[in-house]
Amino acid sequence: SSYMSGRYVWRNTSLVTTVTDLWLYSNRLEGPLVESIANLTSLRFLSLGANNLYGPIPWNIWTNMTTLYYLSLAKNNLSGYLPHSMGNLSALQELRLHENLISGEVPDSFGELLTLKSLSLHTNNLTGSLPEATCNMTSLQYLWLQSNRFRGALPHSIHKLQALRYLWMQNNELDDALPESLGQLTSLIELDLSDNRIPYRIPYTLGGMAGLRQLKIARNRLEAELPDSL
């Protein structure tokens, strides 16, 4: 078989501190995410997606990984909360944590990921409102948050995400009005807010989204007519 299986691959990671790229996705790796990964302080790419990793994401791995550019733990069985310490990943450009069992809220510290271009948290059990601090990630271009249990409204300062091109937040429990500031996202190409509980009306300001190609707000609780601006 071409698959790696079991746990032996985790042993003695402290002995290979010069490794910069570690691609182990789509194997049969199983067990918890070992804390000795923290010794790989030269890592730029870490891909452990599509395995059978389980348990919480350790908080103390991420403190000194300041060169990490790409991190994927997607398509595993990881549970627990998103560690606040992930906000220390100051060079990170892509974070893929989708299709796990992660719960709780998105920590404010994610707003410190100033170089992040792509954030994929979809298909988890995340709750609460998306914090205003996430709008400090002004390099963000792709934001995939669909199929969670987010409530409340989109952040009022969402207009700060001027680089954002794709925002997918369908199949959540958003139950507050859309902010007028959403219409200031002039680089946005696709916006999907289907299958939520969004009430009231579509903001008139959405007519100013000059780059928008797909707008999906089906199966919500919107009222009134479409604004003339659309």
Side-chain angles (χ1 to χ4, degrees):
S1 170
S2 62
Y3 290 103
M4 288 184 177
S5 62
R7 303 183 186 185
Y8 69 90
V9 72
W10 297 123
R11 296 176 185 171
N12 298 323
T13 55
S14 60
L15 303 181
V16 286
T17 56
T18 56
V19 170
T20 61
D21 298 24
L22 188 56
W23 300 92
L24 296 172
Y25 64 90
S26 195
N27 280 289
R28 295 175 180 170
L29 302 180
E30 62 179 81
L33 196 59
V34 294
E35 297 181 5
S36 55
I37 289 177
N39 296 319
L40 305 178
T41 54
S42 299
L43 272 184
R44 297 181 306 151
F45 298 89
L46 176 58
S47 178
L48 296 170
N51 281 288
N52 190 31
L53 303 179
Y54 54 79
I57 302 173
W59 65 270
N60 53 347
I61 290 180
W62 318 108
T63 306
N64 296 315
M65 283 195 169
T66 53
T67 61
L68 198 62
Y69 178 92
Y70 174 94
L71 172 60
S72 177
L73 303 174
K75 298 185 178 181
N76 281 287
N77 293 302
L78 297 169
S79 56
Y81 300 146
L82 294 170
H84 289 264
S85 55
M86 281 187 161
N88 294 317
L89 300 173
S90 54
L92 199 64
Q93 295 205 15
E94 185 165 357
L95 178 57
R96 299 166 60 85
L97 299 175
H98 57 269
E99 295 183 42
N100 278 289
L101 304 170
I102 301 169
S103 56
E105 300 185 2
V106 177
D108 286 343
S109 61
F110 272 43
E112 300 170 21
L113 300 174
L114 302 181
T115 60
L116 197 67
K117 294 182 178 179
S118 178
L119 176 59
S120 181
L121 300 176
H122 72 80
T123 321
N124 278 289
N125 294 314
L126 294 168
T127 56
S129 297
L130 198 61
E132 291 286 338
T134 57
C135 298
N136 295 328
M137 298 188 290
T138 52
S139 299
L140 204 60
Q141 297 181 22
Y142 304 90
L143 184 53
W144 292 303
L145 301 174
Q146 69 268 28
S147 299
N148 280 287
R149 292 189 289 131
F150 288 112
R151 300 180 66 88
L154 294 176
H156 286 283
S157 52
I158 198 168
H159 63 278
K160 294 163 63 176
L161 300 179
Q162 284 297 305
L164 196 62
R165 302 178 67 196
Y166 297 88
L167 172 55
W168 292 327
M169 209 164 177
Q170 68 269 29
N171 194 27
N172 276 283
E173 299 175 8
L174 298 177
D175 55 4
D176 207 343
L178 295 175
E180 296 286 335
S181 55
L182 185 61
Q184 297 179 41
L185 296 179
T186 54
S187 297
L188 204 63
I189 295 174
E190 291 188 15
L191 173 61
D192 194 342
L193 299 172
S194 304
D195 296 293
N196 280 282
R197 304 171 185 170
I198 300 169
Y200 307 123
R201 60 180 182 82
I202 298 175
Y204 184 85
T205 54
L206 263 59
M209 301 168 79
L212 195 64
R213 295 294 176 266
Q214 288 194 18
L215 173 61
K216 298 179 181 179
I217 321 184
R219 294 175 295 278
N220 277 281
R221 297 177 180 175
L222 295 166
E223 302 171 358
E225 298 177 355
L226 282 174
D228 293 339
S229 59
L230 292 174

